[in-house]
Amino acid sequence: MGEVAFAFRARRYSVEALRAHPPAMPLSDANRILALTRSTAYRLIAEGNYPCELIRVGGVYRVLTSELLRLLEIDDRHLVAAFEALPPALPLHAANNLLSLGRTVGYRLARQGNYPCEVLRLGGDYRIRKNDLRCLVKVPEATAQRAA
């Protein structure tokens, strides 16, 4: 593959850089990659025609990286491997990073009961189950685990 696969608005995207995105990326990043303006993207969302699956987290849209990779016909096995390396329950700040959420927004959503996954309260800590996150961002389980 070439070093630079995508170049939009003076920002370059290589396939490796695209794969380095967290499982859920901000809508603005996906729009840049797909060369969509903000108004076009929101019109497509309103019509139900945005080219990738979206999730709404804390009043903002996130694009599932796995869906964007499939749309662009780029292999997404690295996401499966990355999820396999995660512990069964993640601290809230780690889940926030995977969903491209800031710390304040993530903790506010958890306190209000509006986090997009079930939040476990263990003492003073918040935890998110890995499998709940996996289902939210639609990353499949590893093949070896599916066969078991």
Side-chain angles (χ1 to χ4, degrees):
M1 288 184 196
E3 182 180 318
V4 176
F6 312 99
F8 302 110
R9 295 189 192 163
R11 203 164 170 193
R12 297 187 181 279
Y13 288 92
S14 67
V15 172
E16 292 76 24
L18 185 55
R19 286 182 176 149
H21 268 282
M25 72 172 64
L27 182 64
S28 60
D29 287 358
N31 290 344
R32 267 189 232 104
I33 292 165
L34 296 172
L36 295 173
T37 64
R38 184 173 190 248
S39 59
T40 299
Y42 280 102
R43 182 177 45 78
L44 290 171
I45 291 168
E47 295 169 353
N49 293 326
Y50 196 82
C52 299
E53 188 167 345
L54 303 165
I55 56 174
R56 186 131 187 187
V57 182
V60 295
Y61 289 104
R62 296 290 185 240
V63 175
L64 302 181
T65 303
S66 60
E67 296 292 319
L68 182 61
L69 292 172
R70 283 185 203 114
L71 175 72
L72 298 172
E73 298 180 355
I74 297 171
D75 183 27
D76 66 348
R77 282 181 285 185
H78 70 287
L79 285 174
V80 174
F83 259 86
E84 291 307 311
L86 294 174
L90 287 81
L92 186 64
H93 67 84
N96 291 343
N97 289 340
L98 292 173
L99 295 174
S100 298
L101 290 175
R103 177 190 162 123
T104 303
V105 170
Y107 278 91
R108 186 187 77 231
L109 291 171
R111 279 192 306 275
Q112 294 172 345
N114 295 328
Y115 206 81
C117 300
E118 183 181 355
V119 177
L120 305 173
R121 182 76 188 235
L122 305 173
D125 295 334
Y126 292 106
R127 295 280 188 261
I128 307 295
R129 288 186 194 100
K130 171 174 71 172
N131 286 334
D132 291 348
L133 268 176
R134 182 195 309 269
C135 290
L136 177 67
V137 297
K138 302 211 179 346
V139 173
E141 289 188 43
T143 310
Q145 284 190 351
R146 277 190 242 150

